[in-house]
Structures are given as C-alpha cells and as structure tokens.
Amino acid sequence: MSNRVRKAVFPVAGLGTRLLPATKTMPKEMLTIVDRPLIQYAVDEAREAGIEQMIFVTGRGKAALVDYFDMAFELETTMRDAGKSLDALASARTDYGEIVAVRQQEPLGLGHAVWCARHIVGDEPFAVLLPDDLMAGTPGALKQMVDAWEQVGGNMLCTEEVPAEKTKSYGVIAPGRVDGDLTEVLGLVEKPDPQDAPSRLGVIGRYILQPQVMQVLDAGTRGAGGEIQLTDALAKVIGTQPFNALKVNAVRHDCGDKLGFVLANLALALERPDLGPQVREYLASL
Ligand code: UTP
C-alpha cells in the first residue's frame, strides 16, 4: 500500500439546486470565481499537494468539466493565427496530472459519489476535495493536510468552528485529545440540531481517507435526507484507524450557496493586483 497520497476524488455530480437558475445547464463547478472555474481552484490545490491522479465523479450534463482540462486545440490555433496572446489561457494550460472520470448514475449522496471511485482509488489512501468549498490559503489547504497526515497517518478531516445555529448544515466532530491545530476525532454526527451537536467543529470539504471506507460504503446505508452520507461511513471506521481533524490556515468560501459565491468573487477580486484597486474603489462608491 502507498504511504503517499497520490490520488484525489472530486465529487462533482451534485445537482447544485441552491445556485439555480445558473446551474440549470451549467455545472456548479464550472461557475467562475473572478476568471477561472471553481474546479480549477480545487485541481490546482491538489496538484500543489502532490496529487498525481484527479478522479472526477461526474453525472449528467457535466461533460464541460472534463473538457476543460484538455488542450483547446481549435481555440489556441485560431488565437495564434489571429496574432492574439495566449497568456490568458496560461493558467488553464498547466500540467494537471492524469484526469480520470467516472460516473455517478444517480445523485444518491456524497458517500455514494465517493464510492463510485472505488475501483480507481484501489488499495491506497486518497484525498477528497469538494470544489464548492474554495479554500484560499498559502500553502493550500490540502498541502497543509498532507504535511500533517504524513506525521499521523490514518484518516484526516478538515475542520472549522461553525456558529452554534449552523451545526445543522455540517457533519460535526466529537473531539478527543487536542494537539495544536490537530484534534482527535472520537465521533461524527451528520447535521445535528445545535442542542445535539457534540461540538462546534464542523467538517468542511477536504479529506484524506483510508481505502477501507469504501468497504463500509458498499452497504449503501441511507442517512440524513435519505442520502448515502460520507460522514456516516467515516463514523464507522473511528476506533479502527487513527482519526484526526485539522484546522487549516486558510479562508473558506462556501461557493455552493449564492451569498458565499458572490462574496468569494469579491474577496478574490480584491486580492488581485490587476483588479483589486478598481473593485475597492467601486465598492467604496456604493
Ligand atoms: P452538496 O451538498 O453541495 O449538494 O454536495 P449539491 O447537489 O451539489 O448542491 P445543492 O445542495 O443541490 O445546491 C457536496 C458535494 O458533493 C457532490 C456535489 O457535487 C458537491 O461537490 N455530490 C453530492 C455528488 O457528487 N453526488 C451527490 O449525489 C451529492
């Protein structure tokens, strides 16, 4: 078994109903933050963390996601013939490693989406990145997790403190021993009411997992909302393998929701040297 994290699963088969009507025909992960689609931020973060194989779990209407990572031959030739600079494409033409796509034939939940990648993942640890959680940090969130994971192994979740009234939107951690930014995970509860939440440590969209979780997911057990939940499967392997959660040094933008999406565009535009000053001036004028 590899003791490096070489593979990453990107579950991108969800319906994105919170962003309708934009997501009626456009995959949520292809929506743009400033000048690049959400998926590119996640793939760049994975590359920085040393991931060699990107496994997209896609569904109906998501072909644009996979096409995006091909060289755009006609576009590049036409631009070159017209004497146009290819600089704007440069950020989308880096080496993305190997791209593999598998299908989730029905959106039965995040746990089911991850399980759809089981044959490609095989018998090695793997990362999971949810592209709608855009993590802005240097180094990137997954790189910070991989560095911590190399010390402790097992399963590792990414966590952040969430407001008490928001626990119902997250998987929530029952915490054990705390060592700096690392917290031992003793239990996990999916979407608890505030009074039932074991802490305010919510699970956010980055994971490093052991392949054994795929065997738990084989059972196809339905949980909250009738969906096959990843959190429920992870809860079952606690106690059999080291299990920790890391608070990373990064800002999370929840781009799966309209407000988070708009704020992410603003926050990232403000940080850009080529756009920030004008955006700031316009906001001040409002
Ligand atoms: P979300 O909970 O954001 O669901 O999924 P969603 O369907 O994408 O969006 P809404 O709630 O309808 O607006 C979290 C992640 O899991 C993936 C999504 O694509 C997203 O990256 N997912 C979810 C799947 O791939 N398949 C599923 O069946 C469910």
Side-chain angles (χ1 to χ4, degrees):
M1 201 207 272
S2 168
N3 58 0
R4 275 192 54 221
V5 187
R6 300 184 307 128
K7 302 187 178 193
V9 177
F10 299 77
V12 289
L15 299 177
T17 54
R18 283 169 295 155
L19 291 178
L20 280 169
T23 45
K24 191 174 162 196
T25 54
M26 173 72 99
K28 156 168 85 173
E29 301 78 10
M30 284 304 292
L31 296 180
T32 314
I33 303 293
V34 186
D35 62 357
R36 61 200 68 183
L38 266 174
I39 188 71
Q40 192 183 338
Y41 290 94
V43 168
D44 287 347
E45 185 187 323
R47 263 323 249 171
E48 181 203 9
I51 302 294
E52 293 162 10
Q53 189 181 60
M54 315 288 159
I55 308 166
F56 293 170
V57 182
T58 71
R60 284 173 60 79
K62 300 271 184 167
L65 268 163
V66 183
D67 291 347
Y68 181 80
F69 292 96
D70 287 340
M71 191 187 96
F73 182 75
E74 290 96 338
L75 178 65
E76 293 197 14
T77 308
T78 311
M79 286 176 74
R80 207 172 282 117
D81 290 351
K84 290 193 174 157
S85 159
L86 296 185
D87 288 356
L89 272 176
S91 69
R93 289 167 76 242
T94 47
D95 168 20
Y96 289 119
E98 188 184 1
I99 305 274
V100 180
V102 294
R103 305 285 285 194
Q104 184 189 27
Q105 287 172 326
E106 237 186 305
L108 297 178
L110 177 59
H112 180 258
V114 169
W115 178 79
C116 289
R118 66 200 179 283
H119 296 306
I120 319 283
V121 165
D123 190 24
E124 56 180 285
F126 62 103
V128 177
L129 294 96
L130 308 189
D132 40 0
D133 270 347
L134 194 168
M135 302 294 288
T138 314
L142 190 64
K143 169 83 174 112
Q144 295 178 41
M145 289 177 71
V146 166
D147 288 347
W149 179 85
E150 281 170 353
Q151 308 301 317
V152 295
N155 297 280
M156 183 172 286
L157 309 177
C158 192
T159 185
E160 102 181 354
E161 292 224 1
V162 299
E165 68 279 9
K166 290 271 175 70
T167 56
K168 225 177 154 27
S169 307
Y170 294 87
V172 176
I173 292 166
R177 194 173 37 83
V178 178
D179 178 8
D181 291 329
L182 208 60
T183 301
E184 187 187 8
V185 177
L186 297 180
L188 282 168
V189 189
E190 183 63 23
K191 301 188 168 61
D193 285 321
Q195 66 275 14
D196 302 327
S199 74
R200 283 177 38 200
L201 291 176
V203 177
I204 58 175
R206 301 289 181 272
Y207 309 74
I208 297 176
L209 303 178
Q210 295 297 324
Q212 286 76 14
V213 71
M214 296 295 193
Q215 288 147 27
V216 181
L217 286 166
D218 278 342
T221 312
R222 309 271 178 146
E227 295 195 335
I228 300 171
Q229 298 285 358
L230 181 60
T231 313
D232 294 345
L234 292 174
K236 294 205 173 103
V237 301
I238 294 172
T240 65
Q241 297 169 331
F243 213 126
N244 292 284
L246 184 72
K247 279 188 197 160
V248 293
N249 187 11
V251 177
R252 179 175 72 105
H253 298 286
D254 177 5
C255 300
D257 148 276
K258 286 180 190 173
L259 180 63
F261 182 79
V262 172
L263 297 184
N265 262 299
L266 277 178
L268 271 68
L270 283 169
E271 277 168 20
R272 287 270 296 252
D274 54 337
L275 301 170
Q278 293 99 307
V279 176
R280 195 176 306 277
E281 197 179 297
Y282 177 66
L283 290 178
S285 80
L286 291 180

